[in-house]
Amino acid sequence: MASLEQWLVGGSLALPLLLALAVRIWPVLATKRPLLLGVPALTLASFVSLVLLRDEVPLDPAHTGLALDAVARPLLVAASGVVLAVLAALPKRELTRSHVSAILIIYVGGCWVLLSHGVVSLMLGYLVTAVPILTFKEFRARRLARYSQALSLALVGAGLAWLADAAGTTALSALPAVVTARPGAFGLVVLGLALRLGVFPFQSWLVGLFESAPFGPLIMSVAPMSMLIVVERVITPTVAVTLGEVPGASATLLVISAALAAGMVVVQTHLRRALGWFVVSLHSTIFLGVLDPNPLGHMGGLAMWAASTLALTGFAIVIWALFTRRGDIDLREHSGFHDQTPTLAASFLLFGLACVGLPGTIDFISEDLTLHGSIAHHPVLLVGFLTGVSTLGYAVLFLAFRIFLGPRPPQLVDVRVPDVGTRERAVLVLLGALLLGGGMAPQSIARPLTDGIVSDNADTDGPPHTDTAPLHEAGGAAH
Amino acid sequence: MMSIGLTAALGVSVLAVPVAAFVLLALLSVLPGRRSERLITNLVTGALMLSWLASVATLVSAWGPVTHGGLSVPLGSWFSVPGYSLQTVILLDLPGAVFMTLTTSLLILVAVYSGRYLHREPGFGRFFLLLLLFAIGMLAIAAGGSLDIVFGGWELVGLSSALLIAFFHLREAPVRHGLRAFAVYRACDVGFLAGVVLFHELTHSSVFSEAFPALREHLSPFALNGVALLFVLAAMGKSAMLPFTGWLPRAMEGPTPSSAIFYGALSIHAGPFLLLRLSPLLEHASVARGVVVFVGALTALHATTVGRAQNDIKSKLAYASVAQVSLIWVEVGLGFTTLALVHMAGHATLRTWELLRAPSFLRDWRARETLRGPASKSVRHVLPQAWRDAIYRLTLERWYIDELGGFVVQRVRGFLTALDGLDRALAAQLERAPLPAVETVETVEARRALEREGEVRRGLS
C-alpha cells in the first residue's frame, strides 16, 4: 500500500508528464496559462510539504531505483520553482506545444534524475532531460550539442554500467566501494559529467546552445543542474573514501574553468553567448563545491546549487525578457536601456550578483560555507577560486553597465523598450523575495541539507541513498 | 550611566534604522507612480538623524566604563551547520563609535545638500536609495563585530560606490569610470575574502573578541603576516593606495555630494579603518606593518606630486585626499592608532566641506586673493629646468601607472579574445558551418573613430 508521501512524489512526476502529453495531443492546451501554472504549482506544493515532512520516502527502489532523500528535497523544490517561473515568464508567442511540452518533459526528467538511486533510472532521466532541447530546429549549435550530449550520455552510462558490473548491483550507493577496482570506469563518469556540465575545455556546445536555443527549455535544462546528483551520489563519496580530498588536478581544472569562463564573459560581443560563459563559470564553481568531501564545503556546494538554481533562473529570465524585446544585445557598445527599463535593470543586478554571493542573499551564505569548508584544504587554489568569483561579479556589473547605462547609439535613440509586464514582474518579485528571504533566514536552506547528512548517518537500513558516511566521520573535525 | 542592554540596543539601532529606511524606500520605488522629492529626502534624512542620535549615544557610552575596551554584542547565529556557525555580532568600541558618528553626521549633511543639489534630477530616488545602501555598508564596517559582517558591509560600499560614480549614465565616461572603480574593488576583495577564510581557519573564529586573544598563542609570524597582508591588499583598493590610485580621480564623475561622501570622507577611510580594526593582528605582523608604512609613504609622495599637476578642482581634491589617507596609513603602520583615528575624523570633515564647496571654488579663490593678495611663489626655482620638466612630465602622466595597468589589461583581454575566437572556430568546424565574422570591441571602436574622423573631414570640406 503506497503511503501519502509516495503518492505525493508519484503525482508530482505524473501530472506534469500527463500535461506534456496532453499538450502534444491538444496544442490548444499550451495557450491555457492557468492550467500550465496550476500543475507546477501543485507539484511545488507537494515537494514543499515533503520538505516539511522530512521523511525518507522509498519509491519501490527495487523496481524503480527511485527514493526521495533529504538532499533531493530542497533541490526538487528549487526545480519546481524554476518550472513555475519559466512557464509564468513564457511570452505569449512561445506558448506553443513544442516549447511547453519540452519544458515540462525536461522538468520531469530533472526530477527523475534527482530521485534516482539506481543506474538505470538515472540514465533514463538523463536521456529525458537531454533530448527535448535537441528537437528544436532553430539553433545553430545543434550538431555539436547533439554529439556532446550523446558522448556524455555514453561516457556516463558506460562508466556507471562498468562499475555496476563490478559491484553486482545497480544501486548508486554501492558503486563508490568498487571504484578502486575499476578506476577507468570512474574516469569515464567524471569525463562524461564534465562534458554535460560544460566545464572548460568541454564548454563549446553549452555556449553554442546559449547562442540560439529557445530560452524556456534552455533555462529548464541548465538552471536546475540535475546531473550534479551523480557527483553527489557517486563521485564525492568515492573521493571521500579513496582520497579524502578533491584531487589536485580536478580542483585545478575546475578553478581554471571558473576563472577563465568568468573572464570570457567580459570579452563577448553578444549577451546570449556571454550568458553561456557565465553559466560555465557558475557550473564549475558549484561542481567544485559539491565535489568536496569535507562536510562544510560539501554542504556549501549543495546550498550553492539550490540557491544558484533560483538566482540563475531569475538572471536568465531577465535576459530572456531583454531578448524578446530587442533580440540579442550587442555588448560592443552601450545600449542605455535604463531609463525605459529600470525594473529590468535592477533585477539584472540583483539576480546576477545573487549568483556570485551578494550580501543578503542565500548565495552569500553558501559561498561563505564553500570557501570556509573546501578551499582551506587547497590554499593555493583559494586565490584562483576567489579570482573566478570576483571576476564573475565584475562581469555582472560590466554586462549591466553595457546594457542599461551609457549613451544610446544612434540606431537605438528612438527605440522604445518596454519595462517588465505584470506577469514578469510577479515572477521576478517572487524569485527576488525567495533569494533575499533565504538570505535573511538561511537556516531554512541549511536545515534540510544538514538533515540530509544527519539522516544518512543514522539510517543504514533504509533504501539505497547517498553513501556519505566518510563525510560525517570527518564532520566533527571541521573546525 | 547607560546599562549594557541599552548600549547594545542603541548600537543595533544605528544599523537597523537605515536598513528599515532602505527597505521602505525600495518598496516605494517598486510601486507605480512618482514619489515626491520632499518625501524621499525627509525619509532618508529622518532615518539618518535617528541613526546619528543612536551613534552619538553609543559614542558617549564608549567613553564610559560600560563599554570600556569594547562591548561585543552577540545578536545570535545567522545560520549554523555542524562544524560552522556564522555569528551576528556588533562591536561597540571607541574607534567604531567614532566612525559611526562620523558616518551618520556626514551622511545627514550630504542628504540635506543633495535634496537641493539634485532637485528635478531624473535619478533622484535612485541616488538616495544608493546613499542608504552605502550608509548600511559603512555602518556595518564600523559596527561589525566579526569579519563576515565587515565583509558584507565592504561589498555593499563597493557596489553602491560603482553605481553612484555611474549615476550620470547618459554620458559614457561616468559609466566607464564606475566600472573601473568596481574592477579595482573586486580585484582587491580577493584579498579580503582570502583573508577572512584564512583568518577563520587559523583562529577558528571570525568574531574579533574570540579570535584576537588566540592570535599570539596559536599563530606563527609567517601566518600572521600572510593573513595581515591579504587585508592590507583589500584596504589598498578601497583607499586608492599605489598602484590602485588611478580610479579615484576618475570616480569624481559622480554627483558632487556622493564624491564628497565617498572619496573625500568615508569610503576612502574604510581602508585605514579596517587596518585599525585589525590592529591586534597587525601588532604581531611586523612585515605587514612595514608594508603599510611603505605603501602609505610612497602613495603620499605620488599623490602630492601628481595632485600638483592636476588642472581641475575635483581631481586636485582627490589627490589631496589620497595624500592625507596615505599619511593615516603611515600612522596606522607605526602604531599611532589614536592619532590615526583623530586624523581620519578631521580629514573626513574637512574634505567633505571642501568637496561640497567645490562648485563654488573659483569664487572662493578669487575672494581669498582679493583679501590676501596672490598666493606665494613656490620653491620651484630650486631645481634645474631639465629636472623640473622630467618631474612635471612624470606627474602629468600620473607616474605612468595607468599605462602599466592598461598594458596588463590589454594583454589579458587579447588572450581571452583569442581564446574566444578559437572556441568559435572549433565550434564552427564541428558544426561544418562557416566561421562567423565577429567584430571585437577594439575593432568596433577603431571603426567608429575612423567614421568620426571621416565625418569631421566631410564637415570641414
Side-chain angles (χ1 to χ4, degrees), chain A residues 39-57:
Chain A
V39 170
L42 276 176
T43 63
L44 178 63
S46 76
F47 282 132
V48 168
S49 63
L50 285 166
V51 168
L52 298 175
L53 286 171
R54 293 187 195 171
D55 284 335
E56 198 84 11
V57 185

Side-chain angles (χ1 to χ4, degrees), chain A residues 420-455:
Chain A
V420 286
T422 314
R423 192 166 30 80
E424 289 167 323
R425 189 185 293 263
V427 172
L428 294 176
V429 166
L430 202 66
L431 283 173
L434 279 173
L435 281 174
L436 292 171
M440 292 297 113
Q443 208 62 32
S444 56
I445 298 287
R447 179 69 59 79
L449 296 171
T450 317
D451 287 354
I453 292 183
V454 172
S455 70

Side-chain angles (χ1 to χ4, degrees), chain A residues 121-143:
Chain A
S121 60
L122 181 80
M123 295 318 294
L124 186 66
Y126 194 158
L127 195 66
V128 173
T129 52
V131 169
I133 196 83
L134 302 177
T135 59
F136 288 92
K137 290 176 184 167
E138 60 259 54
F139 65 92
R140 258 201 332 269
R142 195 173 167 195
R143 187 195 302 268

Side-chain angles (χ1 to χ4, degrees), chain A residues 5 57 64 81 86 141 193 197 206 262 296 301 334 343 372 376-377 412:
Chain A
E5 289 85 358
V57 185
T64 62
V86 167
L193 276 174
L197 293 167
L206 188 62
L296 210 53
H334 293 278
T343 312
H372 279 104
H377 296 278
L412 289 178

